[in-house]
């Protein structure tokens, strides 16, 4: 469970959104079997001064930076369920194969360590070149210091991963003008927040399921209280104009203008979709991305979009395979590799691809 403090005005805005048709009615085709199950578990309750979020998928909200409360919370959890502590210790120290913590993995990859399989290739990221860059985050300590300084929250493991993605984008976009970014399936907005903080003057459009929008709105409003963040029900008939961050439901993608986006991002949500949905989003990307624009994605090499009975009943959806996505044949591939970062922290391989549309 997560609690995000909000001012009275944003509480009122969220209540309006949650009572609107934009939240209450969504095309069922926009949800995979996986998300039909998990969206039922995702709860966002608006109180008089905060948003209370619970669920087990789709968001990784960094905790507030309050050490005393954190210690108290950990002690309470141990007392309530000591068996979970035993299981965590077992998983951490006695279960094979051994996986690295995200913080350690970040440093190993950035230092070109042999354990990361640092073979060089035209389509792999050359981390050695990053050491010459002054505007990248080259150590986990630098990431922690930067994030906790501006967010006022305690860093969590997934933040290291999103800073790694930021480094990739920043290194390849050097010298490019990036004004408008579209992120499909942004979760609670971890990568969004890093981009907004480190690319001054950009505008971001987030497309997500209605159930996720209160979460991303609450998190982003809490870390950027002065940002102009627009909810789906607040868009005028003439379309969105003045915003820092624009939140759209999956039914509102037609509002995005043709050839208006400099950078499109999807991280870890295509993998939860059936192939028909992925194809529809690739059509969207081809429509809205500018000539010379970039598309970045990181998703599982293979994933079967599943329901909650996947272990006992054969799933009807075809396997979702990264290399079979309907890639734009007219785009130039800049990066196409199995993520060396993700190989150190999880068992499932993650494909990373960055491409640029030809002018």
């Amino acid at each position: 469970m997560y609690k995000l403090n909000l001012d009275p005005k944003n509480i009122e805005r969220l209540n309006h959104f949650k009572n609107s048709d934009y939240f209450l009615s969504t095309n069922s085709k926009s949800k995979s079997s996986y998300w039909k199950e998990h969206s039922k578990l995702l709860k966002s309750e608006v109180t008089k001064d905060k948003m209370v979020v619970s669920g087990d998928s789709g968001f990784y909200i960094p905790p507030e930076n309050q050490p005393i409360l954190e210690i108290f919370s950990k002690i309470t959890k141990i007392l309530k369920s000591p068996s979970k502590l035993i299981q965590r210790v077992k998983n951490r120290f006695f279960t094979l194969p051994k996986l690295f913590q995200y913080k350690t993995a970040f440093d190993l990859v950035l230092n070109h360590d042999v354990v990361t399989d640092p073979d060089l290739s035209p389509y792999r990221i050359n981390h050695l070149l990053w050491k010459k860059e002054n505007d990248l985050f080259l150590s986990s300590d630098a990431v922690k210091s930067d994030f906790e300084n501006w967010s006022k929250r305690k860093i969590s493991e997934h933040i290291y991963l999103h800073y790694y993605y930021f480094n990739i984008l920043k290194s390849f976009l050097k010298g490019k003008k990036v004004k408008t970014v579209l992120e499909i399936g942004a979760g609670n907005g971890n990568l969004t927040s890093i981009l907004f903080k480190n690319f001054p003057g950009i505008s971001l459009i987030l497309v997500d399921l209605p159930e996720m929008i209160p979460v991303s709105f609450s998190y982003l409003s809490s870390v950027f209280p002065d940002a102009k963040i627009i909810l789906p029900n607040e868009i005028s008939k003439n379309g969105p104009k003045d915003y820092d961050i624009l939140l759209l439901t999956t039914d509102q993608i037609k509002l995005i203008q043709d050839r208006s986006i400099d950078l499109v991002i999807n991280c870890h949500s295509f993998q939860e979709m059936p192939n028909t949905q992925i194809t529809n989003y690739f059509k969207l990307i081809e429509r809205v991305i500018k000539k010379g624009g970039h598309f970045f994605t990181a998703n599982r090499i293979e994933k079967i979009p599943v329901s909650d009975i996947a272990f006992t009943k054969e799933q009807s959806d075809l396997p979702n395979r990264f290399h079979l996505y309907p890639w734009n044949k007219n785009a130039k591939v800049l990066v196409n590799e199995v993520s060396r970062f993700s190989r150190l922290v999880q068992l499932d391989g993650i494909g990373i691809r960055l491409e640029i549309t030809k002018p």
Side-chain angles (χ1 to χ4, degrees):
M1 180 181 295
Y2 298 87
K3 297 179 181 180
L4 296 163
N5 295 322
L6 295 172
D7 62 38
K9 183 178 180 180
N10 282 333
I11 290 291
E12 182 181 4
R13 293 173 65 202
L14 266 181
N15 278 321
H16 281 308
F17 169 64
K18 294 196 70 175
N19 288 313
S20 72
D21 289 339
Y22 295 94
F23 180 78
L24 299 173
S25 61
T26 304
N27 188 340
S28 62
K29 292 181 180 179
S30 64
K31 291 182 181 178
S32 63
S33 299
Y34 174 90
W35 266 109
K36 284 178 182 177
E37 296 299 330
H38 282 273
S39 63
K40 297 175 185 176
L41 304 175
L42 179 58
K43 306 296 182 184
S44 56
E45 179 185 356
V46 183
T47 68
K48 65 178 182 179
D49 61 354
K50 61 178 61 70
M51 166 69 75
V52 182
V53 183
S54 61
D56 62 355
S57 187
F59 61 92
Y60 301 94
I61 299 173
E64 291 184 299
N65 202 354
Q66 298 179 335
I68 296 176
L69 289 178
E70 182 184 356
I71 293 171
F72 179 77
S73 176
K74 287 182 177 179
I75 293 173
T76 302
K77 288 178 180 178
I78 291 171
L79 293 175
K80 286 184 176 180
S81 184
S83 61
K84 288 186 177 180
L85 174 63
I86 296 172
Q87 186 63 45
R88 288 189 67 179
V89 172
K90 180 181 177 182
N91 292 341
R92 175 74 183 277
F93 297 104
F94 302 104
T95 302
L96 293 175
K98 298 289 186 182
L99 298 173
F100 291 94
Q101 292 184 308
Y102 283 63
K103 180 180 188 295
T104 304
F106 188 95
D107 289 327
L108 289 170
V109 172
L110 270 289
N111 288 324
H112 209 63
D113 192 281
V114 65
V115 74
T116 67
D117 183 28
D119 299 341
L120 297 179
S121 159
Y123 295 107
R124 292 186 108 190
I125 301 157
N126 187 347
H127 301 101
L128 294 175
L129 297 178
W130 287 6
K131 295 186 180 299
K132 302 176 183 178
E133 304 289 340
N134 296 323
D135 51 359
L136 302 183
F137 298 93
L138 302 180
S139 71
S140 60
D141 288 341
V143 169
K144 182 176 186 295
S145 175
D146 182 74
F147 177 76
E148 293 187 349
N149 179 57
W150 61 260
S151 73
K152 310 305 179 188
R153 306 184 79 84
K154 183 179 177 182
I155 195 166
S156 60
E157 290 211 318
H158 283 84
I159 295 298
Y160 291 106
L161 177 62
H162 289 299
Y163 266 88
Y164 178 65
Y165 292 158
F166 166 80
N167 277 346
I168 295 172
L169 293 170
K170 187 72 173 179
S171 64
F172 279 93
L173 294 172
K174 194 174 184 65
K176 306 285 186 180
K177 290 184 178 180
V178 179
K179 294 183 178 180
T180 308
V181 177
L182 167 64
E183 186 172 3
I184 301 167
N188 62 278
N190 285 331
L191 181 55
T192 304
S193 66
I194 297 166
L195 293 173
F196 187 71
K197 181 65 177 65
N198 290 284
F199 279 101
I202 67 167
S203 300
L204 295 113
I205 301 173
L206 311 187
V207 172
D208 220 323
L209 296 174
E211 293 88 345
M212 283 304 307
I213 286 177
V215 183
S216 57
F217 175 82
S218 300
Y219 174 69
L220 293 169
S221 296
S222 70
V223 292
F224 300 118
D226 297 326
K228 188 168 185 179
I229 304 175
I230 306 299
L231 285 161
N233 60 310
E234 297 174 337
I235 300 170
S236 67
K237 293 181 179 179
N238 296 324
K241 291 182 179 179
D242 181 25
Y243 62 87
D244 293 315
I245 301 173
L246 173 66
L247 304 175
L248 300 178
T249 70
T250 50
D251 290 342
Q252 293 178 297
I253 58 176
K254 291 182 179 179
L255 294 175
I256 307 173
Q257 295 181 356
D258 294 358
R259 300 286 180 261
S260 62
I261 306 297
D262 299 294
L263 170 64
V264 181
I265 298 171
N266 176 271
C267 294
H268 309 286
S269 65
F270 281 166
Q271 66 193 34
E272 310 298 353
M273 302 179 192
N275 293 287
T276 52
Q277 287 181 352
I278 295 171
T279 298
N280 288 336
Y281 276 116
F282 269 78
K283 290 178 180 178
L284 168 69
I285 293 166
E286 289 193 31
R287 177 177 70 80
V288 303
I289 198 167
K290 292 179 180 178
K291 292 182 178 180
H294 290 74
F295 170 45
F296 175 76
T297 186
N299 280 282
R300 286 263 293 269
I301 297 295
E302 180 181 71
K303 178 79 184 289
I304 300 175
V306 298
S307 65
D308 61 340
I309 55 173
F311 291 168
T312 57
K313 184 178 180 180
E314 187 175 283
Q315 301 300 287
S316 59
D317 288 329
L318 293 173
N320 173 330
R321 294 191 172 104
F322 188 79
H323 73 283
L324 293 179
Y325 287 178
W327 304 105
N328 183 352
K329 295 179 181 179
N330 295 318
K332 179 183 178 181
V333 179
L334 303 176
V335 175
N336 190 14
E337 69 163 77
V338 177
S339 171
R340 282 164 280 168
F341 186 113
S342 295
R343 283 177 61 248
L344 301 181
V345 299
Q346 66 180 63
L347 297 180
D348 300 299
I350 298 292
I352 290 180
R353 183 162 170 141
L354 175 66
E355 55 186 36
I356 180 172
T357 57
K358 294 181 180 179

